[in-house]
Amino acid sequence: MSIQPLRISYIELRGTEESIESIEVVYDGHRGSIPRRSKCHFDADFDQLLTVRGVTISFSVVRRRKWHVGPKQAPEVIEIDVQDVLSNLPTQKFHTVRNKLAITIGLPPSSVPLYLQNVGSGRNADAPRPTTEELLNECYRFRILVVGQSGVGKSTLINKAFGIEQASAEDFEPGKANIEKELISPHNDRFVLHDGRGFEPAEGVACDDVKSFIKKRKKQEHVKDQLHAVWLCVRTPIKGHGDRLLEEGTETFLKEDTSVFQNIPIIVVFTKYDRLLTDMAMQRKADPEAAADQYLHQHCIHPIQEFAKGAKLSYVAVSSNPGHEQRRSQLVMLTHEKVTESFGSPF
């Protein structure tokens, strides 16, 4: 099953060859024909939104036989991961090119979660600055620096959110930091991740190394090579368990050094959120999730806002355990929304 239902307002396919005979969309055991508009143009509008609940949506493409002899060619099947489409919710459009076919999937405004519609500066998402579209076209991939001490669950989060198998435990051992190494998912290549470790001495990457990496990326000529967002991963602290909200180095960095980021979005990611839910359930809270959210704001978000005054931070709580896929999807979509928003801001 997909993380959430995918609702589609229109589908458009454009080819470069006239050999296409027909195209069908295939999803959840259903098939539907995509009408031809011209020789190489097929599209369909859905007044009643097409809803996909599975993990993939496919297109069956039938091409004419070249010499009109011999057996009929088997249809080409183009399969698209629903999660890849969902990651484009803030832009309300998913675009890809497969088998010489330009495929566009339109997403209705109602599909964008409410928490994304009012996040940030309040600028109208339908009226971006003139340069935003150009920057997004130039920058197919968003480059994210993932910072957090060992044990907060970074590698598991990256594996679960993006399917990056390279993010194994050995890649995250203290003393083996390689902040320049790119981690790219074969399932969602819209994001490039860099591991920044934590800010503590034992983490193998000092605070100065992180700042040096950020400054270096700022000087890159092409937008795609610059740094677009930072995930500051913090294990969700449990009151009474002796957990610290932030390590000393991280707290110092937020208090004194966030100016290096300028307009680069910083998202504080509270990991292992399931521990907090379990704790709320053990306290016999009537609504453990509501109690957990209240706890996060009171004991985590508010204290960070107090000592990191002036820093523009966003917050999201995630878990790598089964049943929390929606929260990981929120992190991906929030990152996309914040980066898009920063493209529309002055540099």
Side-chain angles (χ1 to χ4, degrees):
M1 295 293 292
S2 62
I3 291 176
Q4 69 180 73
L6 170 63
R7 293 179 173 84
I8 299 173
S9 57
Y10 71 89
I11 295 174
E12 181 180 40
L13 303 99
R14 291 181 180 272
T16 58
E17 301 174 351
E18 299 180 9
S19 62
I20 299 176
E21 190 171 285
S22 65
I23 299 178
E24 288 184 316
V25 59
V26 183
Y27 63 98
D28 301 345
H30 304 292
R31 305 178 74 93
S33 178
I34 305 294
R36 181 195 299 272
R37 302 304 179 188
S38 64
K39 290 182 179 178
C40 304
H41 180 201
F42 296 75
D43 72 32
D45 292 314
F46 304 105
D47 294 329
Q48 183 175 348
L49 299 180
L50 186 153
T51 300
V52 181
R53 301 185 184 279
V55 296
T56 62
I57 180 173
S58 302
F59 296 95
S60 177
V61 182
V62 176
R63 298 183 184 272
R64 289 189 291 271
R65 288 172 293 182
K66 191 171 183 180
W67 304 108
H68 302 284
V69 294
K72 189 174 183 178
Q73 288 183 313
E76 297 175 10
V77 178
I78 301 173
E79 190 172 275
I80 296 175
D81 194 313
V82 164
Q83 177 57 42
D84 290 348
V85 183
L86 287 171
S87 67
N88 285 264
L89 281 180
T91 65
Q92 298 176 25
K93 181 189 296 184
F94 171 82
H95 182 76
T96 187
V97 178
R98 307 281 182 89
N99 296 9
K100 297 182 180 181
L101 268 177
I103 303 171
T104 302
I105 297 176
L107 310 171
S110 59
S111 292
V112 182
L114 290 176
Y115 81 94
L116 281 181
Q117 294 177 8
N118 298 305
V119 171
S121 65
R123 183 170 61 248
N124 185 352
D126 294 325
R129 293 174 182 262
T131 57
T132 302
E133 189 67 27
E134 295 174 1
L135 288 168
L136 287 171
N137 288 337
E138 180 182 347
C139 182
Y140 173 72
R141 286 175 172 168
F142 293 162
R143 190 174 300 274
I144 304 169
L145 174 63
V146 185
V147 179
Q149 68 175 48
S150 298
V152 301
K154 285 186 305 177
S155 60
T156 306
L157 171 62
I158 292 172
N159 272 317
K160 292 290 185 179
F162 297 103
I164 300 178
E165 298 301 329
Q166 298 99 309
S168 59
E170 63 181 15
D171 289 324
F172 289 85
E173 290 179 9
K176 290 189 178 182
N178 181 3
I179 198 170
E180 293 290 346
K181 181 179 179 180
E182 294 184 345
L183 298 174
I184 303 174
S185 169
H187 307 297
N188 187 350
D189 63 355
R190 193 71 198 265
F191 295 87
V192 179
L193 307 183
H194 292 265
D195 175 29
R197 303 299 193 273
F199 293 126
E200 310 310 310
E203 293 298 321
V205 175
C207 181
D208 287 342
D209 295 317
V210 173
K211 288 192 287 185
S212 176
F213 173 80
I214 295 170
K215 291 176 181 177
K216 175 183 174 182
R217 287 291 169 179
K218 283 183 178 180
K219 295 177 182 178
Q220 297 296 315
E221 178 181 359
H222 299 292
V223 177
K224 65 181 181 64
D225 296 322
Q226 297 171 6
L227 181 65
H228 305 119
V230 175
W231 288 358
L232 180 58
C233 296
V234 178
R235 186 174 69 169
T236 305
I238 308 298
K239 192 175 180 179
H241 288 206
D243 296 340
R244 290 189 58 173
L245 173 57
L246 298 173
E247 294 302 315
E248 185 177 347
T250 305
E251 186 172 323
T252 300
F253 183 78
L254 285 176
K255 283 181 178 179
E256 303 174 0
D257 298 318
T258 55
S259 60
V260 70
F261 293 107
Q262 291 182 345
N263 71 316
I264 299 174
I266 307 173
I267 299 175
V268 179
V269 183
F270 296 106
T271 63
K272 303 188 178 183
Y273 174 71
D274 56 285
R275 295 174 65 246
L276 180 58
L277 283 177
T278 300
D279 186 70
M280 293 296 126
M282 291 180 66
Q283 293 183 39
R284 300 184 181 278
K285 299 290 185 181
D287 187 339
E289 189 160 358
D293 285 342
Q294 183 178 2
Y295 175 95
L296 276 175
H297 280 83
Q298 181 178 351
H299 298 285
C300 303
I301 295 176
H302 182 68
I304 292 176
Q305 289 174 333
E306 282 294 303
F307 67 73
K309 292 179 179 178
K312 295 181 180 180
L313 307 175
S314 301
Y315 306 88
V316 65
V318 301
S319 170
S320 297
N321 284 0
H324 297 277
E325 293 85 358
Q326 179 65 29
R327 286 189 169 270
R328 297 195 294 271
S329 179
Q330 288 178 2
L331 171 58
V332 173
M333 290 189 289
L334 179 60
T335 303
H336 188 289
E337 192 269 346
K338 282 296 179 181
V339 173
T340 304
E341 182 180 289
S342 72
F343 280 174
S345 302
F347 286 89

